Amino acid sequence: MTRRLSVLARTGAALALAALTLTACDSTGGGGSARNTVHAVGSSTVYPFAKLIAENFARSNTDFRSPLIESTGTGNGIQLFCKGLGSNTPDMVNASRRMKESEFDRCATNNVEEIIELQVGLDGIAFASARNGIMLNLSPQTIYEALAASPYGREQTAETWADVDPALPAEPILVYGPPSTSGTRDALKELVLEVGCASNPEMKALKESDENRYNQICTEVRDDGAYVDQGEQDNLIVQKIESNPRAVGVFGFSYLDENADKVQGLPMNGVQPTYENIASFAYPGARPLYVYVKKAHMRAIPGLGAYLDEWVQNWGKDGPLARIGMVAMPPETMAENARKVAEQITLTRADLAAE
């Protein structure tokens, strides 16, 4: 019985792919059922870069329709991506963090078994305030103690930044940031909150004895109004802090760079969130950005391969992506990811586990 179900599952996947190929190839057929456009979902941070690539692609590949790019957040995007193969599912997902092993497994369960992973650039988790607004010299530890629901497992009592660190101003803690579905929120947890939490020896010991409890204490954000979930639109965070000089915002470096006339970056460990500091990983919040692609769709969706080539042609240090805020990868990383596009090299679970 189990063997029969396995055969049926493989047959279903093959039929889905066949249907995808047929509809994709029917670029002029009636009824509007054909999909001859690249479809990407995912990260709000990667969204402006993906849109630029789509625009450049449309100009240089007039035989293909312009790709459809949707900002859904990394977590929701990967969920949509992993639903299966076929023209009713996205071809690719943009991600402001790396895919998790559990997400890779979910994809495999739904027959999305060949995935090309591309790192397309670097970004930073930037903390910012309005021009001439509050100035804070932050650290992962102070951010954790200010934003954690239960810092080090204790009651959260901090109301002002000075309650956390006497060297900081006695202004109310008010931080506008991304929701739990955002890759930026995941990166905030991993790169900042957990680092700050782990500075406590008791938390290091807890990780060894009770990892679930450790993760809860170290990454759960307070919900009493000091941290305000502002949705997937980073531009709204910029607007909020611009209108309140005592507020702090959390978003990708590209939004800080794009809105430098409205907001100012806040240093972390004395290091400013700048292009150079993110490229060298001197800034604590530096992170890679990714896109994930279904290899099966490469054979079925017109222009998908050319769209990936467009990423490779534009991600250089002096390229269009850098001009709108993306931090370029080191040359050897660019070469490695260009090879993944050229040879359609797929990701394995071991690759993720080895991180």
Side-chain angles (χ1 to χ4, degrees):
M1 182 67 176
T2 303
R3 184 178 178 184
R4 185 184 175 193
L5 288 173
S6 177
V7 170
L8 287 172
R10 289 198 299 271
T11 303
L15 289 172
L17 180 57
L20 168 68
T21 305
L22 288 172
T23 56
C25 290
D26 182 19
S27 60
T28 59
S33 61
R35 179 148 84 73
N36 55 4
T37 302
V38 173
H39 182 197
V41 295
S43 166
S44 61
T45 298
V46 181
Y47 176 78
F49 305 125
K51 284 290 287 183
L52 178 63
I53 295 299
E55 290 163 7
N56 289 351
F57 167 86
R59 280 193 293 268
S60 56
N61 295 273
T62 54
D63 291 341
F64 300 119
R65 296 180 63 184
S66 181
L68 170 62
I69 314 296
E70 293 186 272
S71 175
T72 63
T74 296
N76 285 336
I78 292 177
Q79 198 168 30
L80 292 167
F81 177 83
C82 288
K83 279 190 172 179
L85 301 173
S87 59
N88 61 334
T89 67
D91 309 310
M92 55 194 298
V93 59
N94 305 316
S96 54
R97 59 160 171 81
R98 200 173 194 197
M99 181 179 281
K100 300 174 183 177
E101 292 175 61
S102 59
E103 292 168 333
F104 183 87
D105 293 341
R106 189 183 309 129
C107 270
T109 298
N110 293 326
N111 298 306
V112 184
E113 296 177 328
E114 290 187 299
I115 301 170
I116 301 169
E117 177 191 67
L118 300 179
Q119 184 180 329
V120 294
L122 302 172
D123 190 34
I125 305 297
F127 288 77
S129 62
R131 278 282 182 189
N132 302 314
I134 189 171
M135 176 49 68
L136 305 168
N137 188 3
L138 299 168
S139 71
Q141 183 176 347
T142 56
I143 293 166
Y144 170 72
E145 292 178 4
L147 299 185
S150 304
Y152 312 122
R154 304 168 196 142
E155 182 184 359
Q156 175 58 273
T157 59
E159 295 182 0
T160 72
W161 291 103
D163 292 336
V164 177
D165 180 352
L168 298 176
E171 295 284 358
I173 297 169
L174 176 59
V175 177
Y176 292 98
S180 58
T181 54
S182 169
T184 301
R185 176 76 161 266
D186 290 330
L188 171 64
K189 290 179 179 180
E190 180 183 344
L191 299 175
V192 181
L193 296 179
E194 192 173 346
V195 171
C197 180
S199 64
N200 183 298
E202 293 178 16
M203 293 300 100
K204 285 186 176 181
L206 180 62
K207 187 174 184 179
E208 296 295 325
S209 62
D210 189 345
E211 189 166 2
N212 288 335
R213 176 67 175 153
Y214 166 84
N215 287 333
Q216 180 186 11
I217 290 174
C218 288
T219 64
E220 190 174 307
V221 176
R222 61 196 296 182
D223 60 1
D224 58 358
Y227 181 92
V228 182
D229 175 336
Q230 201 53 53
E232 293 286 359
Q233 300 303 316
D234 291 347
N235 281 327
L236 292 180
I237 300 177
V238 172
Q239 292 171 22
K240 286 288 187 180
I241 63 174
E242 187 185 8
S243 64
N244 184 349
R246 300 196 298 175
V248 172
V250 185
F251 37 66
F253 165 75
S254 58
Y255 283 89
L256 171 62
D257 189 61
E258 180 183 334
N259 295 280
D261 59 329
K262 302 172 185 175
V263 300
Q264 61 184 354
L266 301 178
M268 200 181 325
N269 291 346
V271 180
Q272 291 286 346
T274 64
Y275 185 103
E276 292 75 15
N277 289 337
I278 291 168
S280 67
F281 287 90
Y283 180 71
R287 61 172 174 172
L289 301 176
Y290 298 92
V291 299
Y292 293 91
V293 187
K294 294 172 182 173
K295 185 174 180 178
H297 286 208
M298 295 281 285
R299 299 186 290 269
I301 298 298
L304 182 54
Y307 178 67
L308 295 187
D309 289 336
E310 200 72 33
W311 277 100
V312 176
Q313 294 162 21
N314 286 272
W315 66 28
K317 186 174 182 180
D318 299 318
L321 292 174
R323 288 196 288 273
I324 63 167
M326 179 177 278
V327 178
M329 298 174 284
E332 61 274 15
T333 308
M334 287 188 204
E336 176 189 350
N337 283 278
R339 187 170 70 86
K340 289 181 182 179
V341 172
E343 300 178 19
Q344 296 187 17
I345 299 170
T346 55
L347 178 70
T348 68
R349 198 180 194 280
D351 293 333
L352 295 173
E355 187 180 46

